[in-house]
Amino acid sequence: MSEQLRVGMVGYAFMGAAHSTAWRTVNHAFDLPLSARMTAVSGRSPEGVAAAAAKLGWDEHTTDWRSLIARDDIDLIDICTPGDTHAEIALAALAAGKHVLCEKPLANTVAEAKEMAAAAAQAASHGVRAMCGFNYRRVPAVALMKQLVQDGRIGTIRHVRASYLQDWIIDPQFPLVWRLRKELAGSGALGDIGAHIIDLTQFVTGQSITTVSALTETFIKQRPLTSGSTGLAASSDGSGLGDVTVDDAALFLARLDGGAVATYEATRFATGRKNALRVELNGSLGSLVFDFERQNELEFYDAELPGPEQGFSRILVTEADHPYISAWWPPGHGIGYEHTFTHEVRDLIAAIAAGEQPTPSFADALQVQLVLDAVSRSAESAQWTSVEPALEPV
C-alpha cells in the first residue's frame, strides 16, 4: 500500500477503545488502497489519554483536540466523545478539509445535525468525506438481511418490529453519568440505543419513518452525583443527588413511507437484558429475524416453500460469500462486536480511496435525528407526529 490515511481520534473511553481496535485491525484483515495510521489521540485528562495511547496503539497523544485538526499529518478526525461536542469538533474538522467519522447519534439537536449535514455536503464538493458511525449496519447477518429484502425474498414488507433492551442502570445507586444528563447526551435510551434501531430498520427495509406516536418514561428521577467519570461502570463520589434529565425508556409506533407499520422499544431498564437488539420483518412472501445476542445468525421464513417444508430456518452467517466474512475465519467460526467497527472503517477507507460518499452520510444521520425529534415531540404531546423532511441526500 503506497498511501496512508492518517487518523486523529478525539475521545478514548468505550467508543474510543472500540474504534481503536478497528483502526488497529482493518489493514490486517482487508486489502485496501489506503493504510490506516493511528497518528494521535486526544482526551481531557493528561494521564488518561497518555495511558490510552499506550494501551490502544496510538503514536501520540494530546489534551487539545484542536491541535489534531491543525496538523498537516492528519487526514481524518474520528469523534468518539459525548454528543454535546460532536458539532463543534466535526464542523471545525470539515472546515479544515479533514475527513470525519462521527459516532451516533450525529448531534444532540436537530439544529446541530442540520448544520453538520450542510457542512458535510459543502465539504463533499471538495472531496472531503463524512460518515456517521452506526456500526450495527456492518454486522454480516444484517447486511445479508438487507440483501434478501432487496432481492424480494420476503416480498412487500408489512410489519417492522424492533427493540433494543439493556439493564445497566436498573440500580438506583448507579451514579449520574453523562449519559443521564440531557445537556451532554441529548436524550437517554431514545438517542443512545433507540437511534440504532431507527437507523437499522430504515437501512434494511429501504423505507423511511414518516409519522410516530410515542411515550417516554424516566423511572428513577434522581441519582448519586459522580466526580466526572464517563464510563458505564462509574461510581458515586458521595456528594449528594442530581436530577436525571433524560428518558430511561422510549416506545413508539411508526408508519414507514413504503407502507409498513412498525413498533419500536428502547430501554435501559429491561432487567436481565444486556445488549438485546432485535429486528423482525414480516413480508408478503416471508419473514426475517435478527437478534444481536446471536449475531452470527439470521432467521428466514420462506412462505413460497411447499407447506410441509415451511418454517423458520437458521442461517449461520459465516460463509466466505456472506458480507465481510471472507476477511476472517473458516466457515462456522463466528465473529464479534468489535468486528462491526472494523467493517465500518473498512467501508470508510474504501469510499475515501474511491472518491465516493460513505454511508451512512451526515444527511442519513440527520434523518435519524429528525425521527428522534419527532418521537420526543410526540411523547410530549401524546399525539401522532410527523417526521420533518430531511435534506436532500448527499
Side-chain angles (χ1 to χ4, degrees):
M1 285 166 285
S2 60
E3 297 184 54
Q4 290 186 333
L5 181 71
R6 300 161 298 181
V7 180
M9 188 175 76
V10 188
Y12 56 82
F14 174 28
M15 278 298 101
H19 284 221
S20 296
T21 297
W23 293 117
R24 197 169 59 243
T25 305
V26 65
N27 290 114
H28 298 290
F30 295 95
D31 294 322
L32 293 167
L34 295 174
S35 176
R37 175 71 180 263
M38 297 170 67
T39 302
V41 60
S42 171
R44 291 175 294 181
S45 164
E47 298 80 11
V49 74
K55 180 179 181 180
L56 300 176
W58 294 89
D59 294 342
E60 301 175 38
H61 57 85
T62 179
T63 57
D64 181 10
W65 61 262
R66 292 174 181 82
S67 70
L68 297 184
I69 293 174
R71 289 176 58 157
D72 292 333
D73 64 342
I74 287 179
D75 306 304
L76 181 145
I77 299 296
D78 184 359
I79 304 170
C80 298
T81 55
D84 66 314
T85 63
H86 286 185
E88 182 182 13
I89 299 170
L91 292 172
L94 291 170
K98 310 293 186 185
H99 305 297
V100 174
L101 171 60
C102 183
E103 256 305 317
K104 47 54 62 186
L106 187 61
N108 277 3
T109 68
V110 167
E112 288 177 341
K114 285 182 176 179
E115 187 177 7
M116 293 169 73
Q122 177 63 31
S125 67
H126 303 290
V128 177
R129 307 300 171 186
M131 187 173 86
C132 190
F134 283 101
N135 64 296
Y136 290 117
R137 287 188 177 204
R138 269 72 187 197
V139 177
V142 169
L144 178 61
M145 188 183 214
K146 180 177 178 63
Q147 281 185 12
L148 292 172
V149 170
Q150 288 180 325
D151 291 344
R153 297 297 300 277
I154 67 168
T156 301
I157 297 174
R158 292 166 174 161
H159 285 282
V160 175
R161 210 166 288 108
S163 60
Y164 200 160
L165 314 178
Q166 298 178 342
D167 74 350
W168 59 273
I169 56 172
I170 59 171
D171 182 357
Q173 296 307 307
F174 189 90
L176 190 69
V177 296
W178 70 265
R179 292 178 186 270
L180 305 179
R181 298 167 57 190
K182 186 176 179 64
E183 71 274 18
L184 299 179
S187 64
L190 175 60
D192 185 20
I193 56 180
H196 272 302
I197 52 176
I198 291 167
D199 179 73
L200 198 60
T201 53
Q202 294 186 138
F203 172 65
V204 296
T205 63
Q207 298 185 31
S208 296
I209 296 170
T210 57
T211 56
V212 299
S213 178
L215 67 85
T216 59
E217 183 59 66
T218 303
F219 298 111
I220 297 176
K221 312 297 186 184
Q222 289 189 315
R223 289 185 176 273
L225 294 172
T226 176
S227 57
S229 171
T230 60
L232 300 186
S235 59
S236 169
D237 63 7
S239 61
L241 298 175
D243 292 335
V244 175
T245 52
V246 299
D247 58 280
D248 288 330
L251 301 89
F252 64 98
L253 304 175
R255 293 187 179 277
L256 283 72
D257 62 4
V261 294
T263 62
Y264 293 83
E265 179 182 11
T267 179
R268 301 187 290 208
F269 272 75
T271 306
R273 299 297 185 185
K274 304 305 176 183
N275 201 45
L277 185 160
R278 189 178 189 276
V279 172
E280 178 169 338
L281 309 179
N282 304 134
S284 58
L285 301 178
S287 295
L288 290 162
V289 183
F290 170 72
D291 183 343
F292 183 71
E293 292 187 343
R294 295 165 58 192
Q295 77 166 80
N296 291 289
E297 301 176 18
L298 183 66
E299 291 184 74
F300 177 36
Y301 182 93
D302 187 350
E304 294 194 300
L305 289 173
E309 299 176 20
Q310 288 181 9
F312 276 95
S313 61
R314 168 181 169 266
I315 303 171
L316 186 61
V317 189
T318 61
E319 297 293 326
D321 53 355
H322 284 141
Y324 301 107
I325 292 295
S326 62
W328 300 109
W329 317 120
H333 293 70
I335 62 172
Y337 177 69
E338 70 278 11
H339 293 81
T340 66
F341 295 95
T342 304
H343 300 159
E344 179 176 278
V345 301
R346 179 261 172 222
D347 290 349
L348 176 57
I349 292 171
I352 290 172
E356 299 173 350
Q357 176 58 50
T359 57
S361 66
F362 277 18
D364 297 326
L366 167 61
Q367 196 277 332
V368 173
Q369 199 83 39
L370 291 167
V371 176
L372 296 175
D373 177 68
V375 171
S376 295
R377 289 187 286 116
S378 175
E380 290 176 0
S381 67
Q383 295 180 343
W384 277 94
T385 302
S386 295
V387 177
E388 180 185 337
L391 297 176
E392 289 297 317
V394 176

